[in-house]
């Protein structure tokens, strides 16, 4: 039995479009839509789609990606006794055959999560899978301009014609399937973050007890990246701050960094954010000047 959990926050239109296709998939038994305490009328709109297959619930507060998904997972376990659950953004598209493919991959006793190759439609290049960041890697992620100049990346590099399955340390949170009973052993998502870095934290917890995540390279899904995020968090400065808070949480709880390292992490973030936003404003100014 495969069930599906999808989050919504102030984006009922995208969720409705997503459900219009996924609801037809016979291999998906139930769909749990978790409205993350939207500030608009999303919950009322989505509740109209309630059926034997689609269950729409609402959280008491917007606790972010990890908490919202945990609520959806626990609802599915309690009501459907789920064994396999797809965690999905509403801004993705995937074919039904992928459901059975991922389910078969999770039969491997060490595989706890599995996904397929991501095809991103935005101009931003997103990794299909990556290695877990060290403390130094987190510093580079704070220093955005330096990271771009040095081209430092944790992304796995795959040949274009590769079709085999590969074990990886971290996969995108936009679309993947979990084995519920295995994931229960790591306590599901860590709710200490609001947004960003959930994949790294989950990957770290998996690695600690010997579980693997699998990337299937001969199938793919489409990701209309950040459709929901950019609608609900329009400020780039705020998105940078959210990412840093999650990065700091990962470093403190999982990498066990000391007070001195925490100070360096904070300084690198403020320097990196100022540089990044200043350069972006300068580019905008010169573009306006040239076309004005």
């Amino acid at each position: 039995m495969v069930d599906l959990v999808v989050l919504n926050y102030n984006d009922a239109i995208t969720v409705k479009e997503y459900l219009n296709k996924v609801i037809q998939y016979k291999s998906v038994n139930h769909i749990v839509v978790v409205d993350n305490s939207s500030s608009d009328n999303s919950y009322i709109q989505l509740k109209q789609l309630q059926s034997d297959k689609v269950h729409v619930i609402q959280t008491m507060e917007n606790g972010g990606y990890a908490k919202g998904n945990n609520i959806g997972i626990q609802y599915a376990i309690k009501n459907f006794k789920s064994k396999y659950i797809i965690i999905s953004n509403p801004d993705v598209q995937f074919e039904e055959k992928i459901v059975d493919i991922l389910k078969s991959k999770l039969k491997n006793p060490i595989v706890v999560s599995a996904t397929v190759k991501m095809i991103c439609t935005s101009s931003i290049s997103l990794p299909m899978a990556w290695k877990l960041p060290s403390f130094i890697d987190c510093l580079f992620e704070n220093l955005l301009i330096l990271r771009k100049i040095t081209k430092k990346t944790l992304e796995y590099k795959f040949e274009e014609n590769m079709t085999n399955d590969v074990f990886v340390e971290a996969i995108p949170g936009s679309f993947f399937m979990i084995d519920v009973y295995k994931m229960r052993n790591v306590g599901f998502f860590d709710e200490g973050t609001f947004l960003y870095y959930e994949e790294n934290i989950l990957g770290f917890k998996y690695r600690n007890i010997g579980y693997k995540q699998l990337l299937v390279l001969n199938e793919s899904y489409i990701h209309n990246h950040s459709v929901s995020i950019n609608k609900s968090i329009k400020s780039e400065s705020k998105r940078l701050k959210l990412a840093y808070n999650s990065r700091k949480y990962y470093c403190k709880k999982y990498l066990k960094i000391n007070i001195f390292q925490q100070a360096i992490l904070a300084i690198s973030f403020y320097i990196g954010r100022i540089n990044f936003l200043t350069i972006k404003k300068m580019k905008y100014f010169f573009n306006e000047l040239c076309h004005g």
Side-chain angles (χ1 to χ4, degrees), residues 65-76:
Y65 175 92
K67 188 171 185 178
N69 274 311
N70 276 348
I71 289 172
I73 291 168
Q74 295 301 332
Y75 181 93

Side-chain angles (χ1 to χ4, degrees), residues 59-116:
T59 61
M60 297 295 291
E61 61 177 359
N62 183 4
Y65 175 92
K67 188 171 185 178
N69 274 311
N70 276 348
I71 289 172
I73 291 168
Q74 295 301 332
Y75 181 93
I77 293 171
K78 179 180 178 180
N79 291 277
F80 317 130
K81 295 182 171 46
S82 305
K83 185 174 181 181
Y84 302 104
I85 294 178
I86 294 172
I87 307 297
S88 175
N89 281 10
D91 56 0
V92 306
Q93 300 171 45
F94 65 95
E95 298 301 321
E96 184 173 10
K97 63 178 180 177
I98 289 174
V99 177
D100 291 327
I101 290 170
L102 294 181
K103 182 179 175 181
S104 69
K105 302 300 181 182
L106 290 175
K107 300 293 184 181
N108 186 324
I110 65 169
V111 177
V112 62
S113 299
T115 189
V116 295

Side-chain angles (χ1 to χ4, degrees), residues 65 85-87 113-115 171-178 189 202:
Y65 175 92
I85 294 178
I86 294 172
I87 307 297
S113 299
T115 189
I171 57 177
S174 53
F175 178 79
F176 63 103
M177 185 185 290
I178 61 168
F189 287 101
L202 203 55

Side-chain angles (χ1 to χ4, degrees), residues 105-275:
K105 302 300 181 182
L106 290 175
K107 300 293 184 181
N108 186 324
I110 65 169
V111 177
V112 62
S113 299
T115 189
V116 295
K117 183 168 62 175
M118 177 178 61
I119 298 174
C120 190
T121 60
S122 76
S123 57
I124 301 172
S125 177
L126 294 175
M128 291 184 286
W130 60 93
K131 298 174 184 177
L132 293 176
S134 65
F135 174 64
I136 297 299
D137 295 320
C138 291
L139 293 180
F140 269 90
E141 289 185 6
N142 281 341
L143 299 166
L144 297 167
I145 302 300
L146 180 61
R147 188 182 66 182
K148 287 186 178 183
I149 293 172
T150 60
K151 297 183 179 179
K152 184 174 176 60
T153 180
L154 295 170
E155 182 178 358
Y156 289 100
K157 299 299 180 184
F158 304 113
E159 298 295 330
E160 202 166 307
N161 58 351
M162 278 184 66
T163 58
N164 56 307
D165 301 344
V166 291
F167 289 126
V168 295
E169 292 186 336
I171 57 177
S174 53
F175 178 79
F176 63 103
M177 185 185 290
I178 61 168
D179 182 311
V180 171
Y181 297 105
K182 294 172 190 170
M183 194 174 179
R184 194 195 302 270
N185 292 331
V186 299
F188 301 103
F189 287 101
D190 185 325
E191 297 179 10
T193 63
F194 181 82
L195 190 63
Y196 305 115
Y197 250 66
E198 301 89 357
E199 304 100 328
N200 290 327
I201 291 172
L202 203 55
F204 194 98
K205 294 203 292 182
Y206 288 159
R207 189 177 68 180
N208 270 6
I209 61 174
Y211 282 147
K212 300 286 187 180
Q213 299 193 85
L214 193 69
L215 174 62
V216 180
L217 289 171
N218 63 347
E219 297 291 344
S220 62
Y221 72 96
I222 296 172
H223 184 196
N224 302 311
H225 173 59
S226 287
V227 166
S228 297
I229 292 175
N230 286 346
K231 282 182 180 178
S232 57
I233 308 174
K234 293 182 171 60
S235 167
E236 184 155 31
S237 179
K238 187 173 181 180
R239 292 197 296 270
L240 291 173
K241 180 65 173 176
L242 281 172
Y244 166 68
N245 287 339
S246 298
R247 192 175 302 125
K248 179 173 65 174
Y249 181 82
Y250 166 81
C251 286
K252 290 175 68 176
K253 183 172 180 178
Y254 294 95
L255 299 186
K256 308 294 185 185
I257 63 172
N258 58 41
I259 295 176
F260 177 69
Q261 289 172 312
Q262 291 176 39
I264 293 175
L265 190 71
I267 292 168
S268 67
F269 165 69
Y270 288 111
I271 292 172
R273 182 171 65 170
I274 290 170
N275 288 343

